[in-house]
Amino acid sequence: MLGQLRLAWWRERLAEPPEQRPQGEPLLALLGRTGAALSPLVDGWEALLGEAPLPQASIAAFAEGRAQALAGLGGILGLVGEEPAILRVGRDWALADLALRLSHPGERDHAVALIGEGAPLRLPREMRPLTVLHGLALRDLRRGDAAGGIRGALAAVRLGIFGR
């Protein structure tokens, strides 16, 4: 219940024009006009508030919320025509990232099953941070853990520079 109240507060704040938002909340101030583009993120997190084990539809709704928020940011950055690629990469990143953190094996299997297949997509330079997050999450998922160290750092650098 507390989680739903907090998410409802964020949903209302993100829907408000920046000048009407409460003062003293540093994150809201940093979001500025991008806040409305992030509102699907709140819906996605809300999908995870159900009873365990979460159904595949809730896991898919979480990933879709993250992907929609990233596509909204792409729109703010002026990346016209890139929405399908941003949505696919954002959705797959969200699912891989979530799968690494789920303790229930059925939920993890649901998340992994939803990860799209196909050729990797190249995103515009403005979305390179998403490319890095996506690549590292898929790498960690294949390895079975969130690997850090020098290999993880080198993988992040490679993805950041070359986008693959």
Side-chain angles (χ1 to χ4, degrees), residues 27-81:
L27 183 55
L28 276 177
L30 284 173
L31 291 176
R33 298 220 173 268
T34 63
L38 298 177
S39 63
L41 193 58
V42 176
D43 298 332
W45 280 106
E46 192 169 38
L48 295 183
L49 294 178
E51 297 276 328
L54 292 169
Q56 195 170 31
S58 294
I59 292 169
F62 166 76
E64 189 61 30
R66 266 192 176 180
Q68 289 291 334
L70 290 164
L73 289 175
I76 290 168
L77 293 172
L79 302 176
V80 179

Side-chain angles (χ1 to χ4, degrees):
M1 181 66 104
L2 189 57
Q4 286 177 324
L5 288 173
R6 188 73 174 147
L7 289 172
W9 183 89
W10 275 103
R11 184 179 290 110
E12 290 171 11
R13 298 300 76 83
L14 292 174
E16 295 173 336
E19 56 276 359
Q20 292 180 4
R21 292 182 187 148
Q23 301 301 310
E25 182 65 47
L27 183 55
L28 276 177
L30 284 173
L31 291 176
R33 298 220 173 268
T34 63
L38 298 177
S39 63
L41 193 58
V42 176
D43 298 332
W45 280 106
E46 192 169 38
L48 295 183
L49 294 178
E51 297 276 328
L54 292 169
Q56 195 170 31
S58 294
I59 292 169
F62 166 76
E64 189 61 30
R66 266 192 176 180
Q68 289 291 334
L70 290 164
L73 289 175
I76 290 168
L77 293 172
L79 302 176
V80 179
E82 297 292 338
E83 184 177 272
I86 295 170
L87 285 170
R88 183 174 139 203
V89 173
R91 197 176 297 116
D92 287 351
W93 163 63
L95 291 166
D97 184 54
L98 180 63
L100 287 165
R101 289 157 176 69
L102 290 170
S103 58
H104 190 281
E107 292 175 344
R108 181 181 164 94
D109 292 344
H110 285 325
V112 170
L114 290 169
I115 295 174
E117 295 182 16
L121 299 174
R122 279 187 72 92
L123 295 177
R125 180 173 293 283
E126 295 87 351
M127 295 302 289
R128 193 62 53 88
L130 176 57
T131 300
V132 173
L133 291 171
H134 174 258
L136 291 177
L138 289 178
R139 176 182 176 274
D140 292 347
L141 190 59
R142 282 191 302 272
R143 293 173 58 111
D145 67 347
I150 190 70
R151 288 187 176 183
L154 290 174
V157 169
R158 178 184 50 81
L159 287 163
I161 293 172
F162 301 111
R164 290 195 187 264

